[in-house]
Amino acid sequence: MLFFSYFKDLVGQEVTVELKNDLAIRGTLHSVDQYLNIKLENTRVVDQDKFPHMLSVRNCFIRGSVVRYVQLPPDGVDVDLLHDAARREARGA
Amino acid sequence: MVVGLREFALRTGDGSPALDESSGEELMHVQPSVAVALGDRSVESPGTLYITSRKLIWLSDADVAKGYAVDFLSISLHAVSRDPQTYSSPCIYTQIEVVEDEDEEDEDEEESNGVLDLSKIREMRLVPSDSTQLDTLFDVFCECAELNPEPIEEEGEEENGHNWVFSADQMVVGGGGEEDAEWQISQSPTSVIGHSNGDESIAQPMLELQINDQRFDDAEEMVHENETKDH
C-alpha cells in the first residue's frame, strides 16, 4: 500500500507515465487507486510522431499493470522519506 | 483469459450477447448506435456497445455474425478523444494489449492474405452517434477497469506485501555473526586452511595434509617439511 499512499499525496502534480509499450504521457495526476491505475488530465504525449492518435486526448485512464515507470517532479520526491518508508514496508512493519 | 481483441458472435434470443453468468459476469451498460474503428481501418457501423463487468462487446446491428470483444484485462488505456482535426468524430479511444510475436517483422501488419488478425489490433475507437454520452462511457470504462485487477496467483498479496522491496539485511544468506570468522585467513604457518568454528577435531586432518603430503611440494625444489610455506 506504500506506493498507493505515496501517489495519493502526489495528486495534482505533473508526472510522466511511461507505458510498457514505450508510450510516454505527461499530465497532471488526477487520481490513483489501490492497483495503481492512474488517471491523468491535461495530457500530452511525449513522442508525438510515434503516437499520433493520442494527440486529441486530454484525459486518460491508464491500467496500472501496463505502467513501466512514473517519472516524478524532482522536488515532489522526498527521497529519504520514501527510502525509510520502503525499508519499513520491507520489514513488514 | 484471452489477451487482445477477438471475434464474438454469441447472441441470445433478444440479440444481446451471451454472458458468462457462472463467473459472475454482469451487464453494466448498453450503448446503442455506436460505430467501431479498429486500428487504422475505417469505421464499422451500425452497432451496439455492451459493457459487461468483464469485457467490452460490440455487436453489429446489420450482420448478426459480426461482433468483437475484448477483456478489460487487455485494455491498457482508455480516453475521450475530442479533437476534430485528429479524428473526425469525438470517440472513446482505447489501446489494447497485444501478445508480442517475436517473429513478426512488420509490427503494424494486421492483415495477411486479406484476413484481418484481430489479435494484433492495438487501438480501437468507439464512436457513439450521441457524443454527449462520451463522459458516461468513459466513467463506465473506468469502473470496469477497476473491477478487473491483475489476477493474483499466489495467496496473500496484502499479507506479504511487495516481494520486490527488500532491505540490505535481508540479502545475507544464512546470516549471523559467524560470517566474519569464515573470512579470516591466519598468517601463522602452522594454521589450517580456512577456520573451523571452535571444533578443533576438524582442524587435525587439514594440518597433517599440509605438512606431510609431498604432492604439494614444489616440483623443482625439494622443500623440507618444516620449512615455512605460504599455502
Side-chain angles (χ1 to χ4, degrees):
Chain A
M1 294 298 273
L2 168 66
F3 285 99
F4 174 37
S5 305
Y6 176 72
F7 282 123
K8 276 201 290 189
D9 289 342
L10 277 185
V11 164
Q13 300 225 31
E14 280 273 297
V15 297
T16 298
V17 178
E18 183 178 322
L19 278 61
K20 290 177 184 172
N21 65 2
D22 298 339
L23 171 65
I25 307 169
R26 185 163 183 78
T28 309
L29 184 63
H30 171 273
S31 59
V32 65
D33 69 11
Q34 53 170 320
Y35 307 111
L36 303 187
N37 293 324
I38 292 170
K39 273 195 206 169
L40 292 180
E41 290 185 328
N42 297 318
T43 58
R44 47 226 177 273
V45 176
V46 172
D47 194 347
Q48 285 178 355
D49 297 331
K50 278 176 72 177
F51 299 96
H53 309 286
M54 288 286 297
L55 275 177
S56 60
V57 169
R58 283 296 159 268
N59 305 324
C60 67
F61 174 103
I62 303 168
R63 195 179 161 79
S65 61
V66 307
V67 174
R68 180 188 288 149
Y69 299 126
V70 179
Q71 293 168 18
L72 309 165
D75 53 358
V77 189
D78 184 335
V79 176
D80 293 328
L81 206 64
L82 195 57
H83 197 181
D84 289 342
R87 198 183 285 129
R88 280 198 303 276
E89 172 113 338
R91 291 201 185 123
Chain B
M1 188 217 111
V2 182
V3 177
L5 188 69
R6 59 192 184 277
E7 292 201 353
F8 188 94
L10 294 168
R11 301 191 192 207
T12 65
D14 63 5
S16 65
L19 303 186
D20 185 7
E21 273 144 32
S22 61
S23 74
E25 186 178 9
E26 296 172 24
L27 195 56
M28 307 286 287
H29 184 90
V30 181
Q31 189 69 35
S33 203
V34 173
V36 65
L38 304 179
D40 291 331
R41 294 162 61 85
S42 52
V43 77
E44 298 173 57
S45 72
T48 305
L49 182 66
Y50 298 87
I51 305 177
T52 83
S53 53
R54 292 267 172 268
K55 56 182 183 280
L56 274 184
I57 304 170
W58 180 87
L59 295 181
S60 167
D61 293 338
D63 181 353
V64 294
K66 192 195 323 191
Y68 307 118
V70 58
D71 290 343
F72 276 104
L73 282 170
S74 293
I75 300 181
S76 310
L77 176 160
H78 66 269
V80 174
S81 167
R82 283 190 208 276
D83 185 359
Q85 284 186 331
T86 311
Y87 196 73
S88 49
S89 319
C91 60
I92 299 280
Y93 168 82
T94 69
Q95 283 190 4
I96 298 172
E97 199 183 321
V98 161
V99 179
E100 291 298 330
D101 189 359
E102 289 176 10
D103 295 335
E104 236 171 72
E105 291 173 5
D106 183 3
E107 285 182 10
D108 294 329
E109 176 113 13
E110 291 157 2
E111 291 190 38
S112 62
N113 307 324
V115 178
L116 176 64
D117 185 357
L118 292 180
S119 66
K120 298 281 184 291
I121 296 286
R122 293 163 185 266
E123 295 167 302
M124 177 174 72
R125 286 182 195 77
L126 297 160
V127 193
S129 54
D130 182 1
S131 53
T132 63
Q133 291 296 296
L134 278 175
D135 290 329
T136 305
L137 286 173
F138 178 82
D139 289 339
V140 177
F141 276 46
C142 290
E143 221 181 296
C144 292
E146 285 158 29
L147 288 173
N148 290 274
E150 290 298 293
I152 298 149
E153 286 100 28
E154 77 268 16
E155 59 151 27
E157 186 204 51
E158 289 310 309
E159 295 159 24
N160 294 333
H162 301 280
N163 57 8
W164 45 263
V165 179
F166 49 92
S167 64
D169 351 329
Q170 291 173 319
M171 291 295 289
V172 171
V173 175
E178 290 186 354
E179 292 162 27
D180 287 342
E182 290 173 3
W183 288 103
Q184 279 174 2
I185 299 173
S186 174
Q187 296 303 311
S188 164
T190 58
S191 71
V192 299
I193 299 168
H195 190 95
S196 61
N197 291 330
D199 186 353
E200 296 305 324
S201 62
I202 300 171
Q204 288 305 318
M206 295 296 285
L207 194 62
E208 288 170 9
L209 190 69
Q210 183 174 1
I211 293 175
N212 294 328
D213 194 336
Q214 289 181 343
R215 287 179 293 174
F216 292 98
D217 291 345
D218 292 327
E220 291 87 71
E221 309 167 313
M222 288 305 292
V223 178
H224 288 291
E225 290 177 34
N226 291 331
E227 273 190 30
T228 301
K229 288 191 237 183
D230 293 339
H231 277 282

Short mmCIF file of all heavy atoms in Angstrom, two decimals, chain B residues 134-187:
data_model
loop_
_atom_site.label_atom_id
_atom_site.label_comp_id
_atom_site.label_asym_id
_atom_site.label_seq_id
_atom_site.Cartn_x
_atom_site.Cartn_y
_atom_site.Cartn_z
N LEU B 134 -20.26 10.43 -24.17
CA LEU B 134 -18.85 10.05 -24.07
C LEU B 134 -18.33 10.03 -22.63
O LEU B 134 -17.61 9.11 -22.26
CB LEU B 134 -17.98 11.01 -24.90
CG LEU B 134 -17.91 10.69 -26.38
CD1 LEU B 134 -17.13 11.76 -27.10
CD2 LEU B 134 -17.27 9.34 -26.62
N ASP B 135 -18.68 11.02 -21.85
CA ASP B 135 -18.17 11.06 -20.49
C ASP B 135 -18.74 9.91 -19.66
O ASP B 135 -18.04 9.33 -18.82
CB ASP B 135 -18.48 12.41 -19.83
CG ASP B 135 -17.66 13.53 -20.44
OD1 ASP B 135 -16.52 13.24 -20.88
OD2 ASP B 135 -18.14 14.67 -20.50
N THR B 136 -20.01 9.59 -19.90
CA THR B 136 -20.61 8.45 -19.20
C THR B 136 -19.88 7.16 -19.58
O THR B 136 -19.55 6.35 -18.71
CB THR B 136 -22.10 8.30 -19.59
OG1 THR B 136 -22.76 9.53 -19.32
CG2 THR B 136 -22.76 7.17 -18.82
N LEU B 137 -19.63 7.01 -20.87
CA LEU B 137 -18.93 5.80 -21.32
C LEU B 137 -17.54 5.73 -20.70
O LEU B 137 -17.11 4.68 -20.24
CB LEU B 137 -18.82 5.78 -22.85
CG LEU B 137 -20.11 5.46 -23.60
CD1 LEU B 137 -19.91 5.63 -25.10
CD2 LEU B 137 -20.59 4.06 -23.29
N PHE B 138 -16.85 6.87 -20.68
CA PHE B 138 -15.52 6.90 -20.08
C PHE B 138 -15.58 6.45 -18.63
O PHE B 138 -14.76 5.63 -18.18
CB PHE B 138 -14.93 8.32 -20.18
CG PHE B 138 -13.58 8.46 -19.54
CD1 PHE B 138 -12.43 8.09 -20.21
CD2 PHE B 138 -13.46 8.96 -18.24
CE1 PHE B 138 -11.17 8.22 -19.62
CE2 PHE B 138 -12.21 9.08 -17.65
CZ PHE B 138 -11.07 8.72 -18.33
N ASP B 139 -16.57 6.94 -17.88
CA ASP B 139 -16.69 6.57 -16.47
C ASP B 139 -17.00 5.09 -16.29
O ASP B 139 -16.49 4.45 -15.37
CB ASP B 139 -17.77 7.42 -15.79
CG ASP B 139 -17.33 8.87 -15.63
OD1 ASP B 139 -16.10 9.12 -15.65
OD2 ASP B 139 -18.20 9.75 -15.48
N VAL B 140 -17.84 4.55 -17.16
CA VAL B 140 -18.14 3.12 -17.05
C VAL B 140 -16.89 2.29 -17.34
O VAL B 140 -16.62 1.30 -16.68
CB VAL B 140 -19.28 2.72 -18.03
CG1 VAL B 140 -19.54 1.24 -17.97
CG2 VAL B 140 -20.56 3.48 -17.69
N PHE B 141 -16.11 2.73 -18.32
CA PHE B 141 -14.85 2.05 -18.62
C PHE B 141 -13.94 2.06 -17.39
O PHE B 141 -13.29 1.06 -17.07
CB PHE B 141 -14.10 2.75 -19.76
CG PHE B 141 -14.54 2.34 -21.14
CD1 PHE B 141 -15.88 2.23 -21.45
CD2 PHE B 141 -13.62 2.07 -22.12
CE1 PHE B 141 -16.30 1.87 -22.73
CE2 PHE B 141 -14.01 1.70 -23.40
CZ PHE B 141 -15.35 1.60 -23.71
N CYS B 142 -13.86 3.19 -16.72
CA CYS B 142 -13.00 3.29 -15.52
C CYS B 142 -13.48 2.32 -14.46
O CYS B 142 -12.68 1.59 -13.85
CB CYS B 142 -13.05 4.71 -14.94
SG CYS B 142 -12.25 5.94 -15.95
N GLU B 143 -14.80 2.31 -14.26
CA GLU B 143 -15.37 1.43 -13.24
C GLU B 143 -15.05 -0.03 -13.54
O GLU B 143 -14.66 -0.80 -12.66
CB GLU B 143 -16.89 1.62 -13.28
CG GLU B 143 -17.58 1.66 -11.98
CD GLU B 143 -19.08 1.83 -12.18
OE1 GLU B 143 -19.49 2.89 -12.70
OE2 GLU B 143 -19.81 0.89 -11.81
N CYS B 144 -15.20 -0.41 -14.78
CA CYS B 144 -14.97 -1.80 -15.16
C CYS B 144 -13.49 -2.17 -15.11
O CYS B 144 -13.14 -3.30 -14.77
CB CYS B 144 -15.52 -2.07 -16.56
SG CYS B 144 -17.32 -1.98 -16.59
N ALA B 145 -12.65 -1.21 -15.40
CA ALA B 145 -11.21 -1.48 -15.29
C ALA B 145 -10.87 -1.79 -13.84
O ALA B 145 -10.08 -2.70 -13.55
CB ALA B 145 -10.40 -0.29 -15.80
N GLU B 146 -11.47 -1.02 -12.92
CA GLU B 146 -11.21 -1.26 -11.51
C GLU B 146 -11.77 -2.60 -11.04
O GLU B 146 -11.26 -3.18 -10.08
CB GLU B 146 -11.79 -0.12 -10.67
CG GLU B 146 -10.95 1.14 -10.76
CD GLU B 146 -11.74 2.40 -10.40
OE1 GLU B 146 -12.68 2.28 -9.59
OE2 GLU B 146 -11.40 3.47 -10.94
N LEU B 147 -12.78 -3.11 -11.73
CA LEU B 147 -13.33 -4.41 -11.38
C LEU B 147 -12.47 -5.55 -11.87
O LEU B 147 -12.71 -6.71 -11.53
CB LEU B 147 -14.74 -4.56 -12.00
CG LEU B 147 -15.86 -3.74 -11.40
CD1 LEU B 147 -17.11 -3.89 -12.24
CD2 LEU B 147 -16.13 -4.16 -9.97
N ASN B 148 -11.48 -5.23 -12.69
CA ASN B 148 -10.65 -6.27 -13.29
C ASN B 148 -9.17 -6.06 -13.03
O ASN B 148 -8.39 -5.84 -13.97
CB ASN B 148 -10.90 -6.31 -14.81
CG ASN B 148 -12.28 -6.85 -15.14
OD1 ASN B 148 -12.45 -8.06 -15.24
ND2 ASN B 148 -13.24 -5.97 -15.30
N PRO B 149 -8.78 -6.17 -11.78
CA PRO B 149 -7.34 -6.04 -11.49
C PRO B 149 -6.60 -7.27 -11.98
O PRO B 149 -7.21 -8.28 -12.31
CB PRO B 149 -7.30 -5.95 -9.97
CG PRO B 149 -8.51 -6.68 -9.52
CD PRO B 149 -9.55 -6.47 -10.59
N GLU B 150 -5.27 -7.19 -11.99
CA GLU B 150 -4.48 -8.33 -12.41
C GLU B 150 -4.76 -9.52 -11.50
O GLU B 150 -4.78 -9.36 -10.28
CB GLU B 150 -2.97 -8.02 -12.33
CG GLU B 150 -2.50 -7.03 -13.38
CD GLU B 150 -2.70 -7.55 -14.79
OE1 GLU B 150 -2.03 -8.53 -15.16
OE2 GLU B 150 -3.54 -6.99 -15.51
N PRO B 151 -4.98 -10.68 -12.05
CA PRO B 151 -5.21 -11.85 -11.22
C PRO B 151 -3.95 -12.21 -10.45
O PRO B 151 -2.84 -12.06 -10.96
CB PRO B 151 -5.57 -12.96 -12.22
CG PRO B 151 -5.16 -12.47 -13.55
CD PRO B 151 -5.06 -10.98 -13.48
N ILE B 152 -4.16 -12.66 -9.22
CA ILE B 152 -3.02 -12.96 -8.35
C ILE B 152 -2.90 -14.46 -8.22
O ILE B 152 -3.84 -15.13 -7.82
CB ILE B 152 -3.24 -12.34 -6.96
CG1 ILE B 152 -3.32 -10.83 -7.11
CG2 ILE B 152 -2.12 -12.71 -6.02
CD1 ILE B 152 -4.20 -10.19 -6.11
N GLU B 153 -1.72 -15.01 -8.56
CA GLU B 153 -1.55 -16.45 -8.49
C GLU B 153 -1.33 -16.93 -7.07
O GLU B 153 -1.97 -17.82 -6.58
CB GLU B 153 -0.37 -16.91 -9.35
CG GLU B 153 -0.65 -16.85 -10.82
CD GLU B 153 -0.06 -15.60 -11.43
OE1 GLU B 153 0.96 -15.13 -10.89
OE2 GLU B 153 -0.59 -15.11 -12.41
N GLU B 154 -0.37 -16.26 -6.38
CA GLU B 154 -0.10 -16.74 -5.03
C GLU B 154 -1.04 -16.06 -4.04
O GLU B 154 -1.51 -14.97 -4.29
CB GLU B 154 1.36 -16.53 -4.65
CG GLU B 154 1.74 -15.13 -4.27
CD GLU B 154 2.23 -14.33 -5.46
OE1 GLU B 154 1.99 -14.76 -6.59
OE2 GLU B 154 2.83 -13.28 -5.25
N GLU B 155 -1.26 -16.62 -2.94
CA GLU B 155 -2.20 -16.09 -1.97
C GLU B 155 -1.57 -14.99 -1.14
O GLU B 155 -0.37 -14.85 -1.10
CB GLU B 155 -2.69 -17.21 -1.05
CG GLU B 155 -1.56 -17.90 -0.29
CD GLU B 155 -2.01 -18.45 1.06
OE1 GLU B 155 -3.19 -18.75 1.20
OE2 GLU B 155 -1.18 -18.56 1.95
N GLY B 156 -2.44 -14.22 -0.52
CA GLY B 156 -1.96 -13.27 0.47
C GLY B 156 -1.10 -12.17 -0.08
O GLY B 156 -0.03 -11.88 0.43
N GLU B 157 -1.57 -11.52 -1.11
CA GLU B 157 -0.80 -10.40 -1.66
C GLU B 157 -0.65 -9.31 -0.64
O GLU B 157 0.40 -8.69 -0.50
CB GLU B 157 -1.48 -9.85 -2.91
CG GLU B 157 -0.66 -8.79 -3.59
CD GLU B 157 -1.52 -7.86 -4.41
OE1 GLU B 157 -2.50 -7.35 -3.89
OE2 GLU B 157 -1.18 -7.66 -5.58
N GLU B 158 -1.72 -9.05 0.10
CA GLU B 158 -1.66 -7.96 1.06
C GLU B 158 -0.84 -8.35 2.28
O GLU B 158 -0.20 -7.52 2.90
CB GLU B 158 -3.08 -7.56 1.50
CG GLU B 158 -3.88 -6.85 0.43
CD GLU B 158 -3.12 -5.69 -0.20
OE1 GLU B 158 -2.59 -4.84 0.54
OE2 GLU B 158 -3.05 -5.65 -1.42
N GLU B 159 -0.84 -9.63 2.61
CA GLU B 159 -0.08 -10.05 3.79
C GLU B 159 1.41 -9.93 3.55
O GLU B 159 2.16 -9.45 4.38
CB GLU B 159 -0.38 -11.51 4.13
CG GLU B 159 -1.82 -11.77 4.55
CD GLU B 159 -2.20 -13.23 4.38
OE1 GLU B 159 -1.30 -14.09 4.39
OE2 GLU B 159 -3.38 -13.51 4.22
N ASN B 160 1.83 -10.43 2.38
CA ASN B 160 3.27 -10.44 2.15
C ASN B 160 3.79 -9.10 1.67
O ASN B 160 4.98 -8.84 1.71
CB ASN B 160 3.62 -11.49 1.08
CG ASN B 160 3.33 -12.89 1.59
OD1 ASN B 160 3.36 -13.11 2.79
ND2 ASN B 160 3.02 -13.80 0.70
N GLY B 161 2.91 -8.29 1.18
CA GLY B 161 3.38 -7.02 0.64
C GLY B 161 4.08 -7.25 -0.68
O GLY B 161 3.94 -8.30 -1.30
N HIS B 162 4.86 -6.31 -1.09
CA HIS B 162 5.57 -6.45 -2.35
C HIS B 162 6.84 -7.23 -2.11
O HIS B 162 7.66 -6.85 -1.29
CB HIS B 162 5.93 -5.07 -2.89
CG HIS B 162 4.71 -4.23 -3.11
ND1 HIS B 162 3.92 -4.35 -4.20
CD2 HIS B 162 4.17 -3.26 -2.36
CE1 HIS B 162 2.93 -3.47 -4.10
NE2 HIS B 162 3.05 -2.80 -3.01
N ASN B 163 7.02 -8.33 -2.82
CA ASN B 163 8.24 -9.08 -2.56
C ASN B 163 9.40 -8.59 -3.38
O ASN B 163 10.43 -9.25 -3.48
CB ASN B 163 8.00 -10.57 -2.77
CG ASN B 163 7.51 -10.85 -4.18
OD1 ASN B 163 7.48 -9.96 -5.02
ND2 ASN B 163 7.11 -12.07 -4.43
N TRP B 164 9.24 -7.44 -4.02
CA TRP B 164 10.38 -6.90 -4.73
C TRP B 164 11.05 -5.80 -3.91
O TRP B 164 12.03 -5.22 -4.34
CB TRP B 164 9.96 -6.35 -6.10
CG TRP B 164 8.73 -5.52 -6.07
CD1 TRP B 164 7.47 -5.93 -6.35
CD2 TRP B 164 8.61 -4.13 -5.72
NE1 TRP B 164 6.60 -4.88 -6.23
CE2 TRP B 164 7.25 -3.78 -5.84
CE3 TRP B 164 9.54 -3.16 -5.34
CZ2 TRP B 164 6.78 -2.50 -5.58
CZ3 TRP B 164 9.07 -1.88 -5.08
CH2 TRP B 164 7.71 -1.58 -5.20
N VAL B 165 10.50 -5.48 -2.78
CA VAL B 165 11.12 -4.47 -1.93
C VAL B 165 11.79 -5.18 -0.77
O VAL B 165 11.14 -5.86 -0.01
CB VAL B 165 10.06 -3.50 -1.37
CG1 VAL B 165 10.72 -2.47 -0.46
CG2 VAL B 165 9.35 -2.80 -2.51
N PHE B 166 13.12 -5.07 -0.66
CA PHE B 166 13.77 -5.67 0.48
C PHE B 166 14.97 -4.83 0.86
O PHE B 166 15.50 -4.06 0.09
CB PHE B 166 14.18 -7.11 0.20
CG PHE B 166 14.94 -7.29 -1.09
CD1 PHE B 166 16.33 -7.23 -1.12
CD2 PHE B 166 14.26 -7.52 -2.27
CE1 PHE B 166 17.01 -7.40 -2.32
CE2 PHE B 166 14.95 -7.70 -3.45
CZ PHE B 166 16.32 -7.63 -3.48
N SER B 167 15.38 -5.01 2.11
CA SER B 167 16.45 -4.17 2.63
C SER B 167 17.75 -4.93 2.62
O SER B 167 17.80 -6.13 2.38
CB SER B 167 16.11 -3.73 4.04
OG SER B 167 16.05 -4.86 4.89
N ALA B 168 18.83 -4.22 2.90
CA ALA B 168 20.17 -4.80 2.82
C ALA B 168 20.33 -5.99 3.76
O ALA B 168 20.96 -6.97 3.41
CB ALA B 168 21.22 -3.74 3.11
N ASP B 169 19.76 -5.91 4.99
CA ASP B 169 19.98 -7.04 5.91
C ASP B 169 19.34 -8.31 5.40
O ASP B 169 19.72 -9.38 5.82
CB ASP B 169 19.44 -6.82 7.33
CG ASP B 169 18.98 -5.41 7.60
OD1 ASP B 169 19.54 -4.47 7.03
OD2 ASP B 169 18.06 -5.28 8.41
N GLN B 170 18.36 -8.17 4.53
CA GLN B 170 17.70 -9.39 4.05
C GLN B 170 18.51 -10.08 2.98
O GLN B 170 18.16 -11.14 2.52
CB GLN B 170 16.31 -9.06 3.53
CG GLN B 170 15.36 -8.65 4.64
CD GLN B 170 14.04 -8.17 4.09
OE1 GLN B 170 14.01 -7.45 3.11
NE2 GLN B 170 12.96 -8.57 4.70
N MET B 171 19.58 -9.45 2.54
CA MET B 171 20.39 -10.02 1.46
C MET B 171 21.29 -11.14 1.96
O MET B 171 21.76 -11.95 1.21
CB MET B 171 21.27 -8.94 0.84
CG MET B 171 20.50 -7.91 0.06
SD MET B 171 19.69 -8.62 -1.37
CE MET B 171 21.10 -8.94 -2.38
N VAL B 172 21.57 -11.17 3.26
CA VAL B 172 22.53 -12.15 3.79
C VAL B 172 21.92 -13.53 3.81
O VAL B 172 20.85 -13.74 4.36
CB VAL B 172 22.94 -11.74 5.22
CG1 VAL B 172 23.75 -12.82 5.87
CG2 VAL B 172 23.73 -10.45 5.16
N VAL B 173 22.59 -14.49 3.27
CA VAL B 173 22.10 -15.87 3.28
C VAL B 173 22.71 -16.58 4.47
O VAL B 173 23.92 -16.58 4.66
CB VAL B 173 22.50 -16.59 1.98
CG1 VAL B 173 22.11 -18.05 2.03
CG2 VAL B 173 21.84 -15.91 0.80
N GLY B 174 21.85 -17.18 5.30
CA GLY B 174 22.35 -17.91 6.46
C GLY B 174 23.06 -17.01 7.43
O GLY B 174 23.95 -17.43 8.14
N GLY B 175 22.60 -15.78 7.51
CA GLY B 175 23.25 -14.68 8.22
C GLY B 175 23.77 -14.94 9.62
O GLY B 175 23.93 -16.07 10.04
N GLY B 176 24.10 -13.89 10.32
CA GLY B 176 24.59 -14.07 11.69
C GLY B 176 26.02 -13.67 11.83
O GLY B 176 26.69 -13.33 10.87
N GLY B 177 26.51 -13.70 13.00
CA GLY B 177 27.83 -13.16 13.31
C GLY B 177 28.97 -14.07 12.94
O GLY B 177 30.12 -13.70 13.07
N GLU B 178 28.71 -15.24 12.45
CA GLU B 178 29.83 -16.15 12.20
C GLU B 178 30.47 -15.89 10.86
O GLU B 178 31.49 -16.47 10.53
CB GLU B 178 29.34 -17.60 12.24
CG GLU B 178 28.97 -18.03 13.64
CD GLU B 178 28.63 -19.51 13.71
OE1 GLU B 178 28.58 -20.15 12.64
OE2 GLU B 178 28.41 -20.01 14.82
N GLU B 179 29.87 -15.04 10.10
CA GLU B 179 30.41 -14.83 8.76
C GLU B 179 31.83 -14.31 8.78
O GLU B 179 32.65 -14.66 7.97
CB GLU B 179 29.57 -13.82 8.00
CG GLU B 179 28.20 -14.34 7.68
CD GLU B 179 27.30 -13.17 7.36
OE1 GLU B 179 27.82 -12.13 6.90
OE2 GLU B 179 26.10 -13.30 7.57
N ASP B 180 32.11 -13.44 9.72
CA ASP B 180 33.44 -12.84 9.75
C ASP B 180 34.49 -13.91 9.98
O ASP B 180 35.58 -13.86 9.46
CB ASP B 180 33.52 -11.81 10.88
CG ASP B 180 32.73 -10.57 10.51
OD1 ASP B 180 32.45 -10.40 9.32
OD2 ASP B 180 32.39 -9.81 11.41
N ALA B 181 34.16 -14.88 10.80
CA ALA B 181 35.13 -15.93 11.11
C ALA B 181 35.53 -16.70 9.86
O ALA B 181 36.68 -17.07 9.70
CB ALA B 181 34.54 -16.86 12.16
N GLU B 182 34.60 -16.91 8.97
CA GLU B 182 34.92 -17.70 7.77
C GLU B 182 35.94 -17.02 6.90
O GLU B 182 36.64 -17.65 6.13
CB GLU B 182 33.65 -17.96 6.96
CG GLU B 182 32.71 -18.93 7.65
CD GLU B 182 31.40 -19.02 6.90
OE1 GLU B 182 31.26 -18.39 5.83
OE2 GLU B 182 30.50 -19.72 7.39
N TRP B 183 35.95 -15.71 6.94
CA TRP B 183 36.81 -14.98 6.02
C TRP B 183 38.20 -14.70 6.57
O TRP B 183 39.05 -14.17 5.88
CB TRP B 183 36.14 -13.67 5.61
CG TRP B 183 34.99 -13.94 4.70
CD1 TRP B 183 33.67 -13.93 5.01
CD2 TRP B 183 35.08 -14.33 3.33
NE1 TRP B 183 32.92 -14.26 3.91
CE2 TRP B 183 33.75 -14.52 2.87
CE3 TRP B 183 36.14 -14.54 2.45
CZ2 TRP B 183 33.48 -14.91 1.57
CZ3 TRP B 183 35.85 -14.91 1.15
CH2 TRP B 183 34.53 -15.10 0.72
N GLN B 184 38.45 -15.03 7.80
CA GLN B 184 39.78 -14.73 8.37
C GLN B 184 40.79 -15.74 7.86
O GLN B 184 40.57 -16.94 7.88
CB GLN B 184 39.73 -14.82 9.89
CG GLN B 184 39.16 -13.58 10.53
CD GLN B 184 38.99 -13.76 12.01
OE1 GLN B 184 39.32 -14.79 12.56
NE2 GLN B 184 38.46 -12.74 12.67
N ILE B 185 41.88 -15.23 7.39
CA ILE B 185 42.95 -16.12 6.96
C ILE B 185 44.13 -15.86 7.88
O ILE B 185 44.73 -14.80 7.85
CB ILE B 185 43.34 -15.86 5.50
CG1 ILE B 185 42.12 -16.12 4.61
CG2 ILE B 185 44.49 -16.76 5.09
CD1 ILE B 185 42.33 -15.73 3.19
N SER B 186 44.45 -16.81 8.68
CA SER B 186 45.53 -16.62 9.65
C SER B 186 46.87 -16.67 8.95
O SER B 186 47.07 -17.40 7.97
CB SER B 186 45.44 -17.73 10.71
OG SER B 186 46.54 -17.62 11.57
N GLN B 187 47.79 -15.85 9.44
CA GLN B 187 49.11 -15.81 8.83
C GLN B 187 50.07 -16.84 9.42
O GLN B 187 51.18 -17.01 8.93
CB GLN B 187 49.71 -14.40 9.00
CG GLN B 187 48.92 -13.34 8.27
CD GLN B 187 48.81 -13.64 6.78
OE1 GLN B 187 49.79 -13.92 6.14
NE2 GLN B 187 47.58 -13.61 6.28
#
